[in-house]
Amino acid sequence: FKDDELSYALGKEGTTRKKLEHAAGAILQYVGHVAFIAGTLKERKRCKEYITWLLNQRRGSVTIRDVASRDDATEMHIPENCKGWVTGNRGSELRRMEQETGTYMFMALDE
């Protein structure tokens, strides 16, 4: 990780790290600029993918391919005029729902 990526992936008081590991069912720790992921192969792959999606969000929109075939994702269409209401101020509503449900949520583009 670069310094800014590490800070983003860690989150305030480690909240982003904890959210990703919980959603993936893995154990995620950062030592220096390296991520260490423990768990089953499926959990580790999922956690790595979640980190990739998280960092890609910083550079622009994310697209998840074949989301219907995944057992760890649910796709919901959000009408354009409702996106602000769903995300909340600076993503606060998404973060609240993530914390309440133990999931990782974000807006992605349709393919």
Side-chain angles (χ1 to χ4, degrees):
F1 289 106
K2 297 175 186 162
D3 283 342
D4 61 328
E5 290 177 332
L6 179 61
S7 178
Y8 189 70
L10 185 56
K12 185 178 179 182
E13 298 179 7
T15 53
T16 304
R17 179 194 62 78
K18 292 172 191 170
K19 168 181 65 180
L20 293 177
E21 77 174 359
H22 184 74
I27 298 169
L28 172 63
Q29 291 293 323
Y30 303 118
V31 178
H33 287 71
V34 178
F36 290 88
I37 305 168
T40 65
L41 179 61
K42 185 176 183 178
E43 292 165 347
R44 294 190 319 263
K45 282 183 174 183
R46 188 180 295 167
C47 192
K48 183 179 178 193
E49 196 167 31
Y50 292 174
I51 293 168
T52 301
W53 293 345
L54 178 80
L55 296 177
N56 285 345
Q57 288 175 63
R58 297 186 74 215
R59 297 182 199 97
S61 300
V62 176
T63 302
I64 309 302
R65 288 177 174 51
D66 301 321
V67 72
S69 67
R70 299 182 66 102
D71 65 356
D72 65 330
T74 302
E75 181 180 32
M76 294 178 63
H77 173 73
I78 308 296
E80 193 66 40
N81 64 335
C82 296
K83 286 182 182 175
W85 182 81
V86 171
T87 57
N89 183 31
R90 300 189 67 196
S92 63
E93 199 54 30
L94 272 182
R95 302 296 79 86
R96 185 191 66 74
M97 289 186 285
E98 283 177 334
Q99 194 166 24
E100 213 172 89
T101 61
T103 59
Y104 171 40
M105 300 175 156
F106 60 94
M107 296 293 208
L109 293 177
D110 282 340
E111 191 169 65

